[in-house]
Amino acid sequence: MPGIAEIPMCPGTDNKLSTLSDLDQQYKTLRKFYENCEVVMGNLEITSIERNRNLSFLKSIREVTGYVLVALNQFDYLPLENLRIIRGTKLYEGRYALAIFLNYRRDGYFGLRQLGLKNLTEILNGGVYVDQNKFLCHADTIHWQDIIKNPRSELLVVPSNNSGNTCECLDECGESFTFVFAVTVTKTVCAEQCDGRCFGPYVSNCCHRECAGGCTGPKDTDCFACTNFNDSGACVTQCPQPFVYNPTTFQLEHNPNAKYTYGAFCVKKCPHNFVVDHSSCVRACPSNKMEVEENHIKMCIPCTDICPKMCDGIGTGSLQTAQTVDSSNIEMFVNCTKINGNLIVLITGIKGFVTCLVIPSKGYLNIQSWPENMTDLDYFLGISLLILKQRWISSLKFQSLREISAGNVYMTNNSHLCFYNSVNWTSLFRTSTQRALIKNNRDPRECSNNFTGQYLMYENNSLN
């Protein structure tokens, strides 16, 4: 099993059933997120993908830390052939680590027919929901109880109209879907002395207790995946701690081999868009701490005075069920200095009012609606940016924007938006893979060279 330095990782999403209005862009975004990715750090959401799209890039995914959502699609085959483990650190609707539903076109004769989950052998937390897939075959023949670790987790797999009737078993579906393959990793054939899975029927064939999803041998380096943490290819209960006890001096001493916990991995350095809190990589500091940077390392330290106000973003914490900023939750963003999550303004959310926010966001900014009396976006910084089809925004005026740590800028079909071309977006990006896709906004030749434009040019020059 490889260590973290050898494993391509990618961030997950938390959009649930929300999709882009452009289905072609929906597919391209999915591909950009997960092409050549092996570990999804978050949720894998595959929604609103049209028929005949090439989804072979999903074959590289071996592990998902959150949940897997497959919904509202029209393709016939789900090629997650190498997905081995779903950790379920976050659950869809608070219950499901795997949710597959409504994958067919209502007015047509096509939809999801076959699951390609040939290697899925472990769901550490959460249940399974498979329903309302009109053409899906054989999903109810999978031994889900063997895959789900917690026997109390909810399991709802409803046979489709096809199941057992018009399904014709393809050459590769029959054995895999009855899990003959899984005989070598299933818990049902293991000796009683085994804590979990095994690679044979004898006591000597037990997997190491830190293994998840099966193994090829008895050692902690023979695991397909780790129950807790992967430390350079070995499965361990915890990562090497920053201090170790010296029994000779009876004191704690710094551990030169210390590592941070990052998801299910032990790392020497946290990713650039994470901060260090104790011995872990976290997205944001807790409410009683503030973020500082020392020796080029961002870390959390206790506040000496009043802490900056940290607010939950849309889809996070107290706003976990919210889809957009609207009249029911906008007061929760007043005086925020940081948002842990995303800021989403949809057409159904805001019309005719807004409040003053100062928001260095840890997620992304998605604006699809904006009050008519507000003509710019004055106070946002540190975000991935999506602005679509706005008639009222005429300028950006991101006067505090210094960095976009991850993600792209997508700005299109904003009929009055000016001076977007005067911002040097590349200088704000942290990685070489980030891009700015800006098109179909107001023609720069129609924009007057007024104070706003001069201000943006000045701001742009000050950033370089």
Side-chain angles (χ1 to χ4, degrees):
M1 184 177 58
I4 187 172
E6 305 166 357
I7 298 178
M9 296 184 176
C10 57
T13 57
D14 196 16
N15 300 325
K16 298 181 176 62
L17 299 180
S18 298
T19 61
L20 298 175
S21 57
D22 185 343
L23 293 183
D24 184 59
Q25 189 63 34
Q26 177 84 0
Y27 167 76
K28 290 179 180 178
T29 300
L30 182 74
R31 183 161 192 156
K32 182 175 180 61
F33 259 69
Y34 301 118
E35 195 160 31
N36 300 317
C37 175
E38 293 189 14
V39 177
V40 179
M41 302 294 284
N43 309 315
L44 173 59
E45 297 175 319
I46 305 171
T47 61
S48 299
I49 302 299
E50 297 168 303
R51 189 188 185 199
N52 296 328
R53 291 290 192 179
N54 181 6
L55 298 176
S56 61
F57 59 90
L58 295 174
K59 292 181 180 180
S60 63
I61 296 176
R62 296 192 295 107
E63 179 176 325
V64 175
T65 65
Y67 61 75
V68 175
L69 171 65
V70 183
L72 306 176
N73 301 293
Q74 299 176 15
F75 53 78
D76 59 4
Y77 179 66
L78 178 65
L80 291 173
E81 299 173 3
N82 293 302
L83 178 62
R84 176 76 66 178
I85 181 173
I86 303 174
R87 296 190 176 275
T89 55
K90 185 171 184 178
L91 302 177
Y92 182 73
E93 300 294 344
R95 291 179 289 175
Y96 302 112
L98 176 63
I100 305 173
F101 57 91
L102 292 174
N103 292 287
Y104 65 95
R105 182 168 173 170
R106 293 182 181 275
D107 59 348
Y109 296 95
F110 48 85
L112 182 62
R113 293 182 178 272
Q114 185 180 352
L115 298 178
L117 303 173
K118 299 178 180 180
N119 287 296
L120 180 61
T121 51
E122 194 90 52
I123 294 177
L124 291 180
N125 181 50
V128 172
Y129 173 69
V130 183
D131 193 12
Q132 300 181 75
N133 301 287
K134 184 176 180 180
F135 304 103
L136 182 60
C137 295
H138 308 297
D140 53 318
T141 69
I142 296 175
H143 193 181
W144 293 107
Q145 290 84 354
D146 186 69
I147 299 173
I148 299 173
K149 185 171 185 179
N150 186 352
R152 294 186 297 273
S153 295
E154 187 171 342
L155 174 61
L156 179 60
V157 180
V158 179
S160 68
N161 295 337
N162 270 350
S163 187
N165 296 317
T166 60
C167 282
E168 294 183 6
C169 193
L170 303 177
D171 291 341
E172 59 179 328
C173 80
E175 291 191 345
S176 66
F177 276 91
T178 54
F179 268 69
V180 172
F181 161 80
V183 163
T184 57
V185 295
T186 180
K187 293 177 287 190
T188 60
V189 300
C190 297
E192 293 182 1
Q193 293 85 346
C194 295
D195 292 328
R197 300 191 181 277
C198 56
F199 57 98
Y202 306 108
V203 175
S204 59
N205 298 142
C206 295
C207 293
H208 191 277
R209 64 180 56 192
E210 285 297 321
C211 288
C215 63
T216 58
K219 302 190 296 293
D220 60 3
T221 55
D222 295 329
C223 307
F224 290 146
C226 297
T227 299
N228 292 300
F229 300 103
N230 178 341
D231 183 14
S232 300
C235 293
V236 296
T237 305
Q238 65 177 12
C239 297
Q241 297 298 292
F243 295 94
V244 292
Y245 181 69
N246 187 328
T248 303
T249 62
F250 303 98
Q251 291 182 336
L252 287 175
E253 298 178 355
H254 282 280
N255 182 6
N257 299 315
K259 293 183 180 180
Y260 303 115
T261 56
Y262 171 55
F265 293 88
C266 304
V267 297
K268 293 292 290 184
K269 182 181 179 182
C270 292
H272 66 83
N273 53 342
F274 281 70
V275 293
V276 176
D277 188 19
H278 293 300
S279 59
S280 300
C281 304
V282 299
R283 292 188 180 276
C285 296
S287 59
N288 63 337
K289 294 184 179 181
M290 61 185 296
E291 180 182 319
V292 298
E293 186 168 340
E294 296 180 2
N295 299 321
H296 304 291
I297 298 177
K298 296 177 181 178
M299 61 182 63
C300 301
I301 63 171
C303 300
T304 55
D305 200 351
I306 300 175
C307 279
K309 184 180 178 182
M310 175 72 74
C311 300
D312 292 326
I314 299 299
T316 305
S318 60
L319 295 175
Q320 186 170 3
T321 60
Q323 298 292 319
T324 179
V325 177
D326 58 27
S327 59
S328 68
N329 57 40
I330 193 168
E331 294 297 327
M332 300 177 69
F333 294 97
V334 175
N335 296 325
C336 294
T337 56
K338 288 180 180 288
I339 286 185
N340 181 24
N342 310 314
L343 189 63
I344 303 176
V345 185
L346 301 179
I347 295 173
T348 57
I350 286 185
K351 184 174 178 63
F353 63 92
V354 75
T355 188
C356 181
L357 309 172
V358 181
I359 305 173
S361 176
K362 284 285 184 179
Y364 60 80
L365 175 62
N366 178 349
I367 297 178
Q368 297 184 30
S369 182
W370 196 250
E372 299 176 12
N373 61 324
M374 301 294 292
T375 60
D376 56 39
L377 305 167
D378 252 335
Y379 301 105
F380 300 110
L381 74 137
I383 50 182
S384 299
L385 182 60
L386 172 65
I387 303 177
L388 301 174
K389 299 180 180 178
Q390 294 307 299
R391 291 189 300 158
W392 314 116
I393 297 177
S394 60
S395 63
L396 298 175
K397 294 177 66 176
F398 286 133
Q399 54 195 28
S400 298
L401 186 60
R402 292 296 180 269
E403 180 180 308
I404 299 179
S405 300
N408 299 324
V409 171
Y410 184 69
M411 201 176 302
T412 182
N413 295 319
N414 304 288
S415 57
H416 285 79
L417 182 61
C418 287
F419 311 114
Y420 49 85
N421 57 325
S422 67
V423 178
N424 186 352
W425 299 103
T426 304
S427 68
L428 303 175
F429 294 153
R430 183 67 181 262
T431 67
S432 59
T433 59
Q434 290 174 265
R435 298 287 184 270
L437 179 59
I438 302 174
K439 62 181 182 179
N440 299 332
N441 300 298
R442 189 172 184 180
D443 190 332
R445 293 170 296 184
E446 299 178 4
C447 298
S448 60
N449 189 21
N450 56 20
F451 173 78
T452 303
Q454 295 170 3
Y455 175 81
L456 275 173
M457 290 298 293
Y458 169 78
E459 177 189 15
N460 183 45
N461 291 334
S462 70
L463 291 175
N464 296 308

